[in-house]
Amino acid sequence: MERRRTAPRLALLLAATAVPAMALAGCSSSSGSSSDSGSKGSTSSPAGSSKSAAPAPVKYAKLPDACKSATQSTVAALVPKAKRAAGTPETSDDANARSTCSWTGNGADGFQYRWLSVTLQRFDSSAALGSGEDQARSRYVSQVTTLGHAPGATATPLTGYGDQATSVGGKATVAKITTQNDTLLARSGNVVVIVEYNGAGFEGKKNPTAQTVQSGAERAAKDALAAVVAANG
């Protein structure tokens, strides 16, 4: 039984909330041209004139393929009997800015549904938007805040997953099926990693515990962060 497409997806939330472009303040240097009749007014640059600062360099210049960001052993452990072991990629206008892949399966017995999704988002520095790291930090904070405000959600700060990380756990009911969910958001430099992992038992089978899905999300997040480092090595 495949997961219904109406299930909540953080990846879709990210796609719908692109970083707003900040308007660049136009420094119109009104050069008060002196119109003294008879004198040629000298035009020298003001002592305090400053050139626009160059954008800060980013930590990561590349993104790995999200479908290869989780190891085969991780996929096999988290999504037993996955319908597509290689994962199902989502279309992206710029794969070096955003890459998403998901895996789904019903387990060895056909009654233990599991779904795993990994989204990688990279930000470049620019004069208009600021440093890539600041943009990534802003995106990370906004997504943690949004998820943490969901009814019944529990947000837990984590260490050991990049520069910042938070696990947000909870339950969701779609088409009368309640899943146990965990979303782990991690930021490393100018890259944000979002891992979503959830599961449900069908036909009276027990759901995975909150600790089980959180541990699974943590394992996939470690893989994804390591893949980002390797892609830029």
Side-chain angles (χ1 to χ4, degrees):
M1 176 176 182
E2 292 193 26
R3 185 183 183 197
R4 296 178 182 270
R5 297 295 295 172
T6 54
R9 298 286 308 278
L10 176 59
L12 296 181
L13 175 62
L14 282 177
T17 56
V19 176
M22 297 170 61
L24 188 60
C27 292
S28 61
S29 62
S30 60
S31 58
S33 59
S34 101
S35 51
D36 294 354
S37 60
S39 74
K40 292 185 178 179
S42 102
T43 55
S44 59
S45 299
S49 65
S50 60
K51 298 179 180 179
S52 57
V58 294
K59 184 175 183 178
Y60 300 116
K62 302 176 183 178
L63 278 184
D65 181 348
C67 286
K68 297 178 180 178
S69 65
T71 65
Q72 292 180 348
S73 60
T74 292
V75 172
L78 301 188
V79 190
K81 300 291 183 179
K83 298 183 184 302
R84 290 189 61 182
T88 301
E90 285 193 2
T91 302
S92 175
D93 292 336
D94 183 355
N96 200 37
R98 182 176 180 274
S99 181
T100 299
C101 190
S102 62
W103 297 260
T104 186
N106 291 335
D109 63 0
F111 298 105
Q112 280 293 332
Y113 167 78
R114 297 292 185 274
W115 182 74
L116 171 69
S117 174
V118 178
T119 295
L120 310 173
Q121 193 162 20
R122 191 184 69 85
F123 298 85
D124 272 325
S125 297
S126 75
L129 301 175
S131 74
E133 182 163 340
D134 283 346
Q135 293 177 64
R137 184 181 295 107
S138 177
R139 174 56 55 86
Y140 166 83
V141 170
S142 69
Q143 296 305 320
V144 169
T145 301
T146 298
L147 286 174
H149 286 163
T154 301
T156 305
L158 302 175
T159 57
Y161 300 86
D163 299 313
Q164 294 174 283
T166 300
S167 170
V168 182
K171 294 181 180 181
T173 300
V174 177
K176 297 183 180 180
I177 296 175
T178 299
T179 58
Q180 185 69 52
N181 309 323
D182 192 87
T183 300
L184 193 154
L185 299 102
R187 181 188 68 81
S188 179
N190 59 310
V191 169
V192 175
V193 172
I194 307 99
V195 173
E196 298 172 88
Y197 184 49
N198 61 53
F202 297 147
E203 302 297 332
K205 302 291 185 180
K206 290 184 178 181
N207 278 11
T209 65
Q211 181 57 47
T212 295
V213 292
Q214 180 176 331
S215 295
E218 290 173 355
R219 176 171 177 171
K222 282 188 176 181
D223 282 0
L225 289 166
V228 171
V229 172
N232 290 270

